[in-house]
């Protein structure tokens, strides 16, 4: 497919890989922050073609993975609201709380619905005005705008039985928490392109400024990732940590 196949071209990857192999003559540990990067790295076997000195480590990944136990428990408890229904993306249904899951509560008779968009939940609220439709808003910066837009739509249409349980996170805050732990030794970070298209690069500047961490905002196709890894390796070798846009 034009404009996709070009980013999966093995011949175009060859010179990038050659330079990575040439420069990565010392141990380098790169964390891909986003789960979409992790999937692409696995799908295209990128770990197998990188030098043994260069290690890719999977990071926070997805917002569900970094949702606190207390927030998961609160979300599950909402399934017991009288006259209420919980609407959620599918990735939350089997996440374990302290004593239950949304899937288990649904099996016990709770009204738990999997939706593909917050607008689906809004339509359910409009169609069932006597029910409280509670949407679980779990996401990073890519999810928050669509949920905010849905709330504005509910307000403009006077739909008063649509609710959102907001458990949103921001990628920079998650990364600060990770680095403050001091448990993972890293040489650089691959930052998510889609989140960065919304927030820009400035919110990441503290990573380079405060922590001396090389960073590259990367696309998700294999050539995007390889080029971004090369940019990170150059920063590491030259000891010039900054936020770079691949």
């Amino acid at each position: 497919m034009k404009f996709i196949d070009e980013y999966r071209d093995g011949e175009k990857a060859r010179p990038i890989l050659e330079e990575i192999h040439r420069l990565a003559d010392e141990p380098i540990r790169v964390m891909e922050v986003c789960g979409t990067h992790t999937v692409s790295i696995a799908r295209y076997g990128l770990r197998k073609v990188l030098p043994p000195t260069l290690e890719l480590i999977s990071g926070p990944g997805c917002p569900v993975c970094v949702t606190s136990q207390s927030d998961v428990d609160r979300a599950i408890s909402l399934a017991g609201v009288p006259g209420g229904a919980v609407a959620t993306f599918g990735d939350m249904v089997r996440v374990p709380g302290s004593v239950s899951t949304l899937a288990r509560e649904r099996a016990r008779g709770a009204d738990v619905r999997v939706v593909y968009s917050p607008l689906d939940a809004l339509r359910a609220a409009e169609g069932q005005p006597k029910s409280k439709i509670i949407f679980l808003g779990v996401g990073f910066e890519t999810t928050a705008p669509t949920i905010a837009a849905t709330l504005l739509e509910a307000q403009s249409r006077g739909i008063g039985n649509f609710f959102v349980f907001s458990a949103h996170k921001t990628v920079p805050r998650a990364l600060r928490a990770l680095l403050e732990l001091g448990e993972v030794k890293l040489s650089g970070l691959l930052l998510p392109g889609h989140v960065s298209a919304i927030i820009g690069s400035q919110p990441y500047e503290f990573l380079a400024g405060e922590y001396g961490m090389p960073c590259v905002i990367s696309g998700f196709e294999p050539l995007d990732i390889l080029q971004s890894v090369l940019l990170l390796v150059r920063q590491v070798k030259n000891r010039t940590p900054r936020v770079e846009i691949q």
Side-chain angles (χ1 to χ4, degrees):
M1 184 183 296
K2 190 168 177 58
F3 304 127
I4 292 183
D5 291 343
E6 295 89 340
Y7 291 90
R8 301 174 181 176
D9 188 326
E11 287 304 310
K12 289 185 173 68
R14 193 179 304 278
I16 300 174
L17 282 166
E18 288 174 354
E19 188 170 359
I20 291 174
H21 276 261
R22 182 177 64 81
L23 292 176
D25 55 0
E26 60 185 90
I28 296 175
R29 305 182 84 197
V30 172
M31 175 178 282
E32 78 274 5
V33 170
C34 182
T36 309
H37 279 139
T38 301
V39 169
S40 190
I41 287 165
R43 179 180 180 184
Y44 295 101
L46 298 187
R47 284 186 174 85
K48 296 178 181 178
V49 298
L50 290 170
T53 52
L54 201 154
E55 183 181 3
L56 293 178
I57 303 170
S58 299
C62 72
V64 172
C65 303
V66 294
T67 295
S68 68
Q69 185 74 73
S70 59
D71 279 343
V72 173
D73 286 338
R74 288 189 188 100
I76 292 169
S77 72
L78 292 172
V81 171
V86 168
T88 178
F89 295 136
D91 53 3
M92 278 291 291
V93 173
R94 290 182 172 81
V95 176
S98 299
V99 296
S100 188
T101 66
L102 287 171
R104 192 174 301 165
E105 295 306 306
R106 181 169 60 185
R108 292 170 177 165
D111 191 346
V112 177
R113 312 175 188 187
V114 174
V115 296
Y116 296 96
S117 161
L119 287 172
D120 292 341
L122 182 61
R123 281 190 284 270
E126 187 175 34
Q128 298 174 266
K130 293 184 179 180
S131 296
K132 300 181 183 76
I133 306 299
I134 308 162
F135 180 77
L136 302 185
V138 179
F140 282 127
E141 290 90 340
T142 46
T143 308
T146 58
I147 296 174
T150 305
L151 282 168
L152 291 173
E153 181 70 13
Q155 184 181 45
S156 69
R157 290 160 58 183
I159 301 173
N161 60 321
F162 175 72
F163 303 88
V164 171
F165 173 69
S166 179
H168 291 93
K169 295 93 181 160
T170 66
V171 168
R173 289 286 295 274
L175 293 178
R176 183 181 286 279
L178 178 71
L179 293 177
E180 284 181 352
L181 288 173
E183 296 176 357
V184 182
K185 302 302 180 185
L186 298 174
S187 307
L189 292 168
L190 276 180
L191 301 174
H194 49 11
V195 166
S196 306
I198 294 171
I199 68 172
S201 62
Q202 194 279 333
Y204 303 119
E205 291 293 339
F206 76 94
L207 296 167
E210 296 179 31
Y211 295 94
M213 184 66 61
C215 300
V216 175
I217 296 169
S218 174
F220 298 101
E221 292 298 327
L223 282 182
D224 289 323
I225 295 171
L226 289 176
Q227 186 183 37
S228 298
V229 168
L230 175 55
L231 293 173
L232 280 175
V233 171
R234 287 174 179 166
Q235 287 191 43
V236 173
K237 293 291 289 183
N238 296 328
R239 292 177 171 78
T240 54
R242 61 187 183 276
V243 178
E244 202 167 357
I245 302 174
Q246 174 259 335

